[in-house]
């Protein structure tokens, strides 16, 4: 069931309830029953897990963007959002820095971030498309940027 922008239809009464359900999903998929899937069923599960992981990454980017904008790391005495992520979530420093870079990249490309959050494209494809387009400003565009924009528009509608 896909939630609407205001969360209606999500089937959860709170963010905490949704997070508990996510943890329960991971626990179930780690249980012996899931280990009995055959090859094709594993493939179907991998596709579904990929879509869920991409959606969660987009949600994480949105939360991280707000946390970073509010300098949430300051309240816990950390110098940066990446340092806070590494210490509080158990990410390695390189992964924490990569998460912040991804969040900031998609913040500069809000349409791609929105497409990733909606499931239209994966966060991986959104990162690739951001690289194709660069940061295009209003006014005359440099040679080749129109082609990159068209390519990004095409793929945003055709890749998931």
């Amino acid at each position: 069931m896909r939630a609407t922008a205001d969360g209606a239809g999500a089937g959860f009464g709170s963010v905490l309830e949704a997070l508990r359900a996510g943890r329960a999903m991971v626990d179930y998929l780690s249980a012996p029953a899931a280990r009995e899937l055959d090859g094709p069923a594993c493939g179907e599960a991998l596709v579904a897990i990929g879509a869920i992981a991409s959606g969660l990454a987009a949600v994480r980017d949105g939360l991280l963007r707000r946390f970073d904008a509010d300098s949430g790391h300051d309240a816990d005495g950390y110098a940066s959002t990446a340092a806070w992520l590494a210490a509080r979530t158990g990410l390695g420093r390189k992964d924490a820095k990569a998460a912040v870079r991804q969040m900031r990249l998609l913040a500069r490309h809000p349409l791609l971030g929105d497409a990733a959050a909606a499931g239209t494209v994966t966060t991986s494809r959104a990162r690739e498309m951001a690289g194709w387009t660069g940061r295009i400003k209003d006014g005359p565009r440099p040679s080749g940027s129109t082609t990159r924009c068209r390519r990004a528009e095409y793929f945003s509608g055709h890749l998931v």
Side-chain angles (χ1 to χ4, degrees):
M1 173 188 309
R2 181 166 290 271
T4 60
D6 65 358
F12 299 107
S14 69
V15 170
L16 184 57
E17 190 178 317
L19 293 170
R20 284 185 188 135
R23 182 71 248 170
M25 177 191 66
V26 170
D27 291 345
Y28 181 82
L29 293 173
S30 300
R35 290 186 211 128
E36 296 173 9
L37 294 175
D38 64 8
C42 284
E44 290 177 27
L46 288 169
V47 169
I49 289 169
I52 291 165
S54 185
L56 286 172
V59 169
R60 182 200 60 209
D61 285 349
L63 292 170
L64 191 55
R65 189 170 18 265
R66 292 195 301 276
F67 182 83
D68 190 55
D70 289 343
S71 296
H73 55 83
D74 287 345
D76 291 328
Y78 293 94
S80 69
T81 298
W84 184 92
L85 273 176
R88 296 295 305 271
T89 68
L91 286 177
R93 278 192 254 165
K94 286 182 182 180
D95 289 338
K97 288 178 181 182
V100 171
R101 273 193 311 273
Q102 174 176 300
M103 173 271 295
R104 290 182 178 154
L105 174 68
L106 294 181
R108 288 190 306 270
H109 300 277
L111 294 177
L112 292 174
D114 291 348
T120 306
V121 297
T122 63
T123 51
S124 176
R125 289 282 190 210
R127 278 193 315 270
E128 283 184 16
M129 286 185 241
W132 296 342
T133 61
R135 188 168 185 188
I136 299 170
K137 299 178 181 173
D138 290 337
R141 294 189 174 145
S143 175
S145 67
T146 302
T147 301
R148 288 191 301 270
C149 286
R150 285 189 188 135
R151 195 178 319 156
E153 288 170 359
Y154 170 82
F155 282 111
S156 69
H158 291 86
L159 294 177
V160 176

